[in-house]
Amino acid sequence: MPFSVFEVFRIGIGPSSSHTVGPMLAVSRFLQLLHPQLTQVARVQVDLYGSLALTGVGHCTDGAVLLGLLGEVPHRVDPASAQQRIDAVRSQQRLVLGGVQEIAFACDHDLLFHKRQSLPQHPNGMRLRAYDAHGALLLQRDYFSIGGGAVMDEAEIAAHASSSGQAHAGPCPFASAQDLLAWCERENCSIADIVWKNELTYQDAESTRARLMAVWQVMCTCIERGLNTEGVLPGGLNVKRRAPALYRQAGFGHNGKLTADFALMDLVSAFAIAVNEENASGGRVVTAPTNGSAGVIPAVLSYYTRYCEGADDDGVQRFLLTAAGIGMLYKRNASISAAEMGCQGEIGVSCSMAAAGLAAVLGGSNAQIENAAEIAMEHCLGMTCDPINGLVQVPCIERNSMGAIKAINAARMALMSDGTHLVSLDQVIETMRQTGVDMQSKYKETSLGGLAVNVVYC
């Protein structure tokens, strides 16, 4: 199955790519199919299953569904007015479906959470049905939010399962890191160059560059908002925003305890936490490759642009292309869905991608880049997803800081070697997949185990 760079990096809103961005896109797809019959619709019912039901409220899945029914899509919706529109639907119990057809909609019986049921194809399943005024079914579809904001219907998810191992479509098709490195040797070029050549099958060079820089601009804006916004995060845990204070301490003093030796590490942590505090508050972020792990790559890329000699826009694009190529391997051969893989599929993958991107822009060889990606994931294996109260806050926000620091360390370790190593990236991806399959479901974005049950917050 082919992947574009912009299927790895999607512009959307928080707090979750699989629980917010994905469901909103699923509803949008449903409305597109329903469009010829839209004026006949009198009622819509949405059923959420598995992880979408268990942590849906904490991840704002219900709000995302309502925004989708109103005709919104993640990259265009205004985060500033989103909650007000959601509240209006709840209070009025009516909405304008797709911006065209006004219908009654009561969340208590039209938006249902089936916490003890899952659809067999994927833990993040949802069923949408539309009825006319006589109760006749006009359209029914099942959709699955497979991670990073990607959505598939029943036919697509079946085709995806049967296409496992098939190479990327494009002039340089690859299905594994071994394939990718072979193409680099054959073409005498970098990993970023191979990803670039394949990406040009989707749009021209100018459009690709513009979209890459647009992704980076959203990341930068998100960091700045996070560094300059005080207060408490929504959701009931009363988690105080920490990024502004961390940034001030890292840049202007050490509170009598910290030393300048770690000032850059403190700054990188502030960047990562800034992004994920914005994500937790429903702000605009880039899935990189998910919302829960959205802070790792922006933080490491900011480390490069702000503190590495010779950094420029070409380097930013090379970083993103390299990171995307690594992300494609995880999407193809494992998963970036925490509901399938635990947090190793989110923070682990983003850490691996960031390490590869940084190694690339710091002059690493293709072998060193692959080694950096492998080192980063090797030390994230087995990471569970156990958000307290189903919110993308604790331990999720801090994990982005840890992932960013680990990515920089992995890149540096790889660059200090000649690229030879015992464990390959392909082997560690397969190990991650097997670990995710073996992991109990209570540790995979269900809030039924781990910190979510040992730290009870009422």
Side-chain angles (χ1 to χ4, degrees), residues 69 76-77 103 109 120 136 170 183 228 246 308 313 357 409 432-434:
L69 291 172
R76 291 188 188 137
V77 64
I103 62 170
H109 62 83
W183 272 111
N228 290 283
L246 288 171
C308 293
D313 286 352
N409 190 31
M432 188 204 85
R433 187 195 67 79
Q434 292 177 9

Side-chain angles (χ1 to χ4, degrees), residues 98-366:
V100 174
Q101 175 76 346
E102 185 172 348
I103 62 170
F105 192 92
C107 292
D108 288 346
H109 62 83
D110 292 326
L111 178 53
L112 305 178
F113 293 79
H114 302 279
K115 296 185 178 182
R116 297 189 178 184
Q117 298 179 50
S118 290
L119 298 179
Q121 296 92 334
H122 193 277
N124 288 334
M126 58 190 298
R127 177 167 293 155
L128 293 98
R129 286 175 280 200
Y131 301 89
D132 67 14
H134 303 289
L137 182 66
L138 296 173
L139 183 67
Q140 175 177 313
R141 285 292 185 276
D142 290 353
Y143 293 98
F144 305 90
S145 182
I146 63 170
V151 173
M152 292 183 178
D153 62 20
E154 288 183 272
E156 289 166 339
I157 204 164
H160 175 65
S162 65
S163 68
S164 178
Q166 291 184 12
H168 185 292
C172 303
F174 60 89
S176 65
Q178 184 178 6
D179 288 348
L180 183 54
L181 292 174
W183 272 111
C184 291
E185 184 173 355
R186 192 177 303 132
E187 298 289 312
N188 190 28
C189 66
S190 69
I191 289 172
D193 291 332
I194 296 298
V195 176
W196 172 264
K197 290 178 181 182
N198 286 335
E199 188 62 29
L200 296 186
T201 63
Y202 297 98
Q203 67 270 310
D204 62 29
E206 183 178 355
S207 298
T208 301
R209 289 191 188 92
R211 292 185 70 181
L212 285 168
M213 295 312 295
V215 162
W216 174 228
Q217 185 56 55
V218 171
M219 290 179 174
C220 291
T221 301
C222 188
I223 289 175
E224 292 305 315
R225 281 199 313 267
L227 292 178
N228 290 283
T229 305
E230 308 274 358
V232 175
L233 296 174
L237 289 182
N238 296 317
V239 174
K240 184 180 179 181
R241 284 179 177 255
R242 299 164 61 192
L246 288 171
Y247 185 61
R248 287 193 297 269
Q249 290 178 39
F252 304 107
H254 307 293
N255 201 27
K257 299 177 182 178
L258 307 179
T259 69
D261 299 350
F262 297 99
L264 276 182
M265 186 168 78
D266 299 337
L267 287 165
V268 170
S269 291
F271 298 152
I273 288 173
V275 171
N276 280 82
E277 287 178 345
E278 278 297 299
N279 177 63
S281 64
R284 188 167 305 289
V285 298
V286 176
T287 64
T290 68
N291 280 29
S293 63
V296 176
I297 287 173
V300 176
L301 191 43
S302 289
Y303 164 78
Y304 163 71
T305 59
R306 298 184 189 213
Y307 308 114
C308 293
E309 187 176 348
D312 57 16
D313 286 352
D314 287 343
V316 169
Q317 294 179 38
R318 191 161 65 253
F319 185 113
L320 291 174
L321 289 166
T322 304
I326 301 302
M328 292 172 193
L329 295 173
Y330 284 99
K331 284 171 68 75
R332 178 174 291 101
N333 298 319
S335 173
I336 60 169
S337 169
E340 288 187 292
M341 294 287 114
C343 200
Q344 61 174 357
E346 295 205 31
I347 292 296
V349 174
S350 63
C351 180
S352 183
M353 292 168 61
L358 184 60
V361 296
L362 294 183
S365 66
N366 292 321

Side-chain angles (χ1 to χ4, degrees), residues 17 21 24 46 51 70 101 105 122 169 234 247 263 293 309 311 317 337 359 374 381 396 446 448:
S17 49
V21 176
M24 199 187 305
V46 182
S51 178
L70 290 169
Q101 175 76 346
F105 192 92
H122 193 277
Y247 185 61
S293 63
E309 187 176 348
Q317 294 179 38
S337 169
E374 180 275 321
L381 291 172
C396 321
T446 59
L448 297 176

